[in-house]
Amino acid sequence: MTDVLARTRPEPTVLQALRSPRLLTREALAGLVVAIALIPEAIAFSIIAGVDPRLGLFSSFVMAVAIAFLGGRPAMITAATGAIALVIAPVAREHGVDYLLATVILGGILQVILGLLGVAKLMRYIPRSVMVGFVNALAILIFTAQVPQLIGVPWAVYPIAAAGLAIMYLLPRLTKAVPAPLVAIVLLTGAAVVFGISVPTVGDQGALPDSLPALLFPNVPISLDTLAIIFPFAVAMAIVGLLESLMTAALVDDITDTPSSKTRESLGQGAANVLSGVFGGMGGCAMIGQTMINVKASGARTRISTFLAGVFLLVLVLVFGDVVAIIPMAVLVAVMIVVSVATFDWHSIRPSTLRRMPLSETVVMVLTVAVTVWTHNLAIGVGVGVIAAAVLFARRVANLTTVTRSVEGDTARYVVEGALFFASSNDLTTKFAYHRDPARVVIDLSRSHVWDASTVAALDAVQTKYAHLGTTVELEGMNTAARRFHGRLTGGLGAGH
């Protein structure tokens, strides 16, 4: 069964955008804004990973271009990311760049394998409360990542950042023909140059490359020892990358009211990482910040913007490197602050929402945010959130199970209502009045369902207790699936189990 559902809103195709000057201009300008924003981030992530800035920039170029053709979510941006940089940093630090590239290639291969195995379908098991927590945590991380750029800097940084915020909030009220972030970058960079304002710039973040990425293969021994070194990091990279990418894709689906193929996205992410590795890149995944710039701030909707983001990135650093280097970091900080504010789900923390929302849902959302922000690891945050949601759901469902007793003549009837599984059936044996019941007992399961072996074992234990008292027990009302499941396991689980 395909994971692409019927669309609820028409989405422009690449062909339609190419035929429409208005749409093509929008896509191109969106790609340009994203490319400018990618440069300092790619350099910063390279520093986190402990590699030359060129690896981050090459990776961002290769992955953006590759995912434009291979990915399942149009308009989503994939490039070098901090999440992947943190995962693979120990490899570069302890074993060198060649081992890092081998890790990236293997991580990409594992993502392709996971995609073929249908890992994308696991997205359906991520509750909405975890998804909201994921979005809010990313918004907080995007914002906090800008804070160092505002501490211990020249005073001129603050008015430039404030002017950037003002342009991006006010310009869309006048016109949306040109992306507000691009206008802010151009105007404030020009102002800084004209008035000779000395502030930290993109060029201060690291050297820009002066040559094209070249095809290469990591110079590492092909042996089990090499595999033992890189495999754990490759697995972590594959999981973190897919998790962030698929959840970002789901967020864009929601924003644009259009579906996307999560399986194709998994395969595309893997292929893009393999290509990144063989072209000397550090690997990456979907970037929620740049994706929000592309989709929400700039209005892009097709693969053209993603493709052009990669192309513009390479052109900017190779041809216009001197111009890009003078862009004040304060402007890009303002762009990312706007993105973080737009990304945060403010509705989720309104008092009216919190009053209506079940406490367990709010707890899961807050826990996901707290763990993600604390660890700076999306996989850990989402994993903890999913586990907490499962535990709280099981607890809530277990409390909805009831057993009602009635006696008519020589027959005691017990009506069991609710889902019967380990959390609700482990104390099922305590719900019966064994010594007070007459010689015949009927257990009516027509309003319940037997879900697991724990329930079968509990029903066997009830029947055994009654048998010791010489009481006959009849189970009735099971639906077909429950009857088959119970019939297959009853009497074969062992005494006391």
Side-chain angles (χ1 to χ4, degrees):
M1 177 179 175
T2 180
D3 56 2
V4 180
L5 306 176
R7 288 177 173 165
T8 57
R9 181 188 295 176
E11 182 179 71
T13 64
V14 170
L15 191 58
Q16 288 173 334
L18 290 174
R19 290 174 175 173
S20 169
R22 181 181 62 84
L23 291 178
L24 185 57
T25 299
R26 184 184 69 184
E27 297 292 315
L29 292 177
L32 179 58
V33 175
V34 170
I36 295 172
L38 275 174
I39 294 171
E41 297 240 336
I43 294 173
F45 297 149
S46 299
I47 294 171
I48 292 174
V51 297
D52 190 289
R54 287 176 295 182
L55 269 71
L57 291 166
F58 286 162
S59 184
S60 295
F61 159 68
V62 171
M63 296 196 73
V65 170
I67 210 67
F69 293 95
L70 303 174
R73 175 63 256 178
M76 191 166 77
I77 303 299
T78 290
T81 60
I84 298 301
L86 288 170
V87 169
I88 62 177
V91 182
R93 184 171 58 248
E94 298 171 15
H95 303 283
V97 172
D98 283 309
Y99 278 87
L100 179 141
L101 298 179
T103 302
V104 171
I105 294 171
L106 179 57
I109 293 172
L110 291 176
Q111 287 179 329
V112 171
I113 294 173
L114 289 172
L116 293 173
L117 292 175
V119 70
K121 293 181 174 63
L122 295 178
M123 283 293 294
R124 71 184 66 176
Y125 299 109
I126 298 181
R128 181 185 179 281
S129 54
V130 175
M131 186 67 186
V132 173
F134 161 81
V135 170
N136 289 347
L138 280 176
I140 293 171
L141 290 175
I142 291 171
F143 181 84
T144 56
Q146 312 314 310
V147 173
Q149 299 289 345
L150 299 173
I151 297 176
V153 293
W155 68 268
V157 165
Y158 304 109
I160 291 177
L165 292 173
I167 291 172
M168 282 180 284
Y169 276 114
L170 298 176
L171 183 62
R173 298 182 180 183
L174 301 176
T175 178
K176 293 185 179 179
V178 182
L182 180 59
V183 174
I185 291 169
V186 172
L187 288 182
L188 295 177
T189 300
V193 173
V194 170
F195 295 105
I197 302 173
S198 179
V199 291
T201 62
V202 170
D204 297 330
Q205 304 301 302
L208 300 178
D210 55 8
S211 62
L212 292 170
L215 188 65
L216 55 87
F217 192 81
N219 184 24
V220 297
I222 301 177
S223 65
L224 290 177
D225 289 338
T226 299
L227 185 62
I229 292 172
I230 68 175
F231 186 75
F233 297 100
V235 170
M237 172 189 161
I239 293 173
V240 170
L242 280 185
L243 183 63
E244 184 164 353
S245 299
L246 294 177
M247 295 191 75
T248 301
L251 176 62
V252 178
D253 289 353
D254 184 57
I255 291 172
T256 61
D257 285 336
T258 56
S260 62
S261 171
K262 304 304 182 297
T263 297
R264 178 176 172 180
E265 188 61 46
S266 301
L267 299 174
Q269 290 289 332
N273 270 306
V274 172
L275 290 172
S276 174
V278 299
F279 278 99
M282 58 176 278
C285 61
M287 303 184 75
I288 191 168
Q290 274 64 25
T291 297
M292 290 301 100
I293 291 175
N294 197 44
V295 174
K296 213 164 187 178
S298 303
R301 289 294 182 271
T302 75
R303 299 174 185 275
I304 295 174
S305 59
T306 306
F307 172 76
L308 290 180
V311 173
F312 283 145
L313 172 64
L314 191 64
V315 172
L316 286 172
V317 298
L318 293 183
V319 181
F320 300 102
D322 292 340
V323 176
V324 171
I326 64 175
I327 296 175
M329 284 300 298
V331 186
L332 299 179
V333 167
V335 172
M336 298 311 294
I337 289 176
V338 170
V339 167
S340 68
V341 172
T343 300
F344 196 91
D345 186 350
W346 296 100
H347 180 269
S348 66
I349 60 171
R350 289 178 184 169
S352 58
T353 302
L354 296 175
R355 283 195 299 268
R356 290 196 304 267
M357 194 68 64
L359 179 61
S360 60
E361 299 277 335
T362 301
V363 168
V364 169
M365 186 267 286
V366 172
L367 184 62
T368 302
V369 171
V371 174
T372 302
V373 172
W374 179 47
T375 63
H376 283 63
N377 190 311
L378 295 170
I380 295 176
V382 172
V384 169
V386 170
I387 292 171
V391 171
L392 292 173
F393 174 77
R395 180 176 178 271
R396 189 166 60 193
V397 173
N399 291 335
L400 297 177
T401 303
T402 61
V403 178
T404 305
R405 176 179 181 265
S406 62
V407 178
E408 298 179 4
D410 63 347
T411 300
R413 174 175 290 273
Y414 290 87
V415 178
V416 183
E417 298 184 60
L420 294 176
F421 64 110
F422 62 90
S424 60
S425 61
N426 280 339
D427 62 348
L428 186 64
T429 56
T430 65
K431 306 295 185 180
F432 296 85
Y434 300 98
H435 294 280
R436 293 190 289 112
D437 282 338
R440 181 171 177 265
V441 171
V442 175
I443 302 177
D444 183 356
L445 298 167
S446 60
R447 301 180 186 177
S448 61
H449 185 81
V450 177
W451 284 107
D452 62 3
S454 295
T455 302
V456 176
L459 292 172
D460 283 355
V462 171
Q463 290 179 296
T464 300
K465 288 178 180 291
Y466 275 119
H468 290 160
L469 298 173
T471 303
T472 301
V473 178
E474 298 175 18
L475 302 180
E476 67 175 37
M478 284 191 198
N479 59 45
T480 302
R483 186 167 59 252
R484 289 176 180 172
F485 183 77
H486 178 268
R488 189 169 69 249
L489 293 181
T490 184
L493 297 175
H497 298 284

